[in-house]
Amino acid sequence: MLRHLRSLQDCTKEELGFFIERALELKKERQAGVAHRQLTGKTIGLIFEKPSTRTRVSFEAAMYGLGGRVIFLSGRDTQLARSEPLKDMARVMARYVDGMVVRTFGQNVVDELACYSSVPVINALTDLHHPCQILSDIMTVIEKKGAIENLKIAWVGDGNNVANSWIQAAELLGFELILACPEGYGPDPEILQKGRRNAAKPIVLVHSPEQAVAEADAINVDVWTSMGQEGQEDVRLAAFRGYQINAALLAKAPSHAIVLHCLPAHRGEEITEEVLESDRCVAFDQAENKMHMHKAILEKLIGG
Ligand code: CP
Ligand code: NVA
């Protein structure tokens, strides 16, 4: 049974399918004005050591929308900032809250909290993974295009946390994934190797954005400099030149291909204003879906 969501590796294919189906249902129910109270009496702690707009607010809105409560702690607010051991933090928090949603740098932080916590720990982004994002992104692709198993998904840009989680999703669900990353900016080698070993369909890594988008049904893009990489902007701007999602690149993709961006976007860097604001781009639906998906995740992990 799924208890923590440290990465998509914690999910079975069936659980992933369940999250998608339930999130789509919760979205419809919200649109119909159905009130939910499944998590009345439950409290989650949000521990965020990196900034966030979407993930924080959508988790908070999701929890309140299910009748629960949230305690938000920024990195500065806890004794973690003064080196309290994670194993102590985990055991103390678990006595107060029914679940922890954690955004931090090292994946080891989430893993260690989960190891010592008697309540579910949910990864809200680490340097290595962003599982909740990918669940909402897959939901968005399915909403727009139908069954993802039959689709070709492209990733253009940095082989970062979001890319790593896409690889784990491809491993579980068996859709074709083609990533175009500059030399030296590919995804985590172990995640890629494992994904390739187990996936039912190819997971391909190339250096050509044109090749990645040529047959894509959905094209994913993210920032070139992730949180924690501040100071590398100049070198990254140079490395990613040619990887921008713009009208010229989209002209090489099938006309039905949609563009996904998890946001925040840097217009003029990884994506142009023109593409981001076009009908091809579903970034704002993606952002909305984070809330429905987080409801589905909280309902299952916190509600039981
Ligand atoms: N997509 C995403 O995780 O956005 P935030 O950093 O605003 O949470
Ligand atoms: N790769 C980005 C995602 C932000 C939601 C980062 O880690 O900063």
Side-chain angles (χ1 to χ4, degrees):
M1 196 194 90
L2 182 69
R3 213 167 73 87
H4 301 297
L5 185 52
R6 294 163 296 188
S7 77
L8 287 183
Q9 246 195 302
D10 281 331
C11 289
T12 61
K13 182 176 180 172
E14 289 67 36
E15 281 162 342
L16 203 150
F18 170 83
F19 284 140
I20 308 279
E21 211 173 292
R22 184 64 185 138
L24 287 165
E25 200 171 69
L26 285 160
K27 182 171 184 175
K28 281 206 191 94
E29 288 176 4
R30 183 172 190 261
Q31 284 161 352
V34 176
H36 293 107
R37 287 289 168 265
Q38 296 89 312
L39 296 186
T40 300
K42 303 276 187 188
T43 304
I44 55 166
L46 257 59
I47 304 164
F48 275 44
E49 298 192 291
K50 287 177 175 176
S52 170
T53 300
R54 281 147 288 271
T55 309
R56 174 184 172 176
V57 178
S58 58
F59 260 113
E60 292 200 13
M63 194 61 187
Y64 288 124
L66 296 176
R69 292 160 196 254
V70 176
I71 298 169
F72 180 82
L73 297 163
S74 80
R76 285 186 309 278
D77 296 330
T78 72
Q79 296 285 6
L80 283 181
R82 294 175 63 243
S83 307
E84 179 167 23
L86 289 163
K87 60 183 180 182
D88 293 358
M89 172 80 172
R91 287 174 294 174
V92 169
M93 286 293 289
R95 299 207 179 197
Y96 303 141
V97 296
D98 301 289
M100 284 179 254
V101 178
V102 182
R103 170 169 286 201
T104 186
F105 295 86
Q107 178 66 25
N108 64 301
V109 175
V110 167
D111 291 346
E112 197 170 334
L113 286 172
C115 181
Y116 288 96
S117 168
S118 55
V119 300
V121 173
I122 298 169
N123 181 348
L125 183 148
T126 62
D127 293 343
L128 200 60
H129 297 286
H130 199 357
C132 299
Q133 181 66 50
I134 296 318
L135 290 172
S136 332
D137 295 353
I138 292 172
M139 172 187 174
T140 310
V141 171
I142 292 174
E143 250 185 337
K144 306 285 175 192
K145 296 278 172 204
I148 196 162
E149 286 82 356
N150 307 325
L151 301 177
K152 220 173 194 178
I153 308 295
W155 175 271
V156 177
D158 192 16
N160 61 18
N161 42 9
V162 182
N164 290 334
S165 290
W166 266 112
I167 293 171
Q168 291 197 326
E171 178 183 338
L172 266 180
L173 293 182
F175 53 82
E176 268 191 71
L177 179 65
I178 178 161
L179 304 107
C181 309
E183 188 84 54
Y185 293 91
D188 181 82
E190 266 180 45
I191 292 173
L192 180 63
Q193 198 185 30
K194 182 172 172 294
R196 279 175 165 166
R197 206 171 41 236
N198 299 330
K201 300 242 178 95
I203 301 176
V204 180
L205 177 62
V206 298
H207 297 310
S208 158
E210 289 79 10
Q211 192 182 339
V213 304
E215 293 174 20
D217 300 294
I219 302 164
N220 286 276
V221 56
D222 186 15
V223 292
W224 291 340
T225 304
S226 286
M227 291 179 278
Q229 296 170 335
E230 294 80 9
Q232 299 177 24
E233 282 95 345
D234 291 347
V235 70
R236 285 178 165 270
L237 267 180
F240 290 101
R241 197 167 296 129
Y243 284 77
Q244 186 185 64
I245 304 294
N246 53 33
L249 186 64
L250 277 195
K252 309 250 165 67
S255 57
H256 68 262
I258 54 169
V259 175
L260 289 96
H261 194 315
C262 63
L263 302 176
H266 292 136
R267 291 163 163 85
E269 289 187 18
E270 76 277 0
I271 192 164
T272 57
E273 167 88 7
E274 183 191 12
V275 172
L276 190 72
E277 296 294 345
S278 73
D279 293 344
R280 302 280 290 273
C281 185
V282 298
F284 294 96
D285 291 333
Q286 247 178 296
E288 176 186 335
N289 285 343
K290 283 171 75 83
M291 183 182 64
H292 307 299
M293 179 51 70
H294 294 165
K295 278 187 184 165
I297 293 169
L298 291 169
E299 195 183 61
K300 182 156 170 67
L301 269 70
I302 312 297

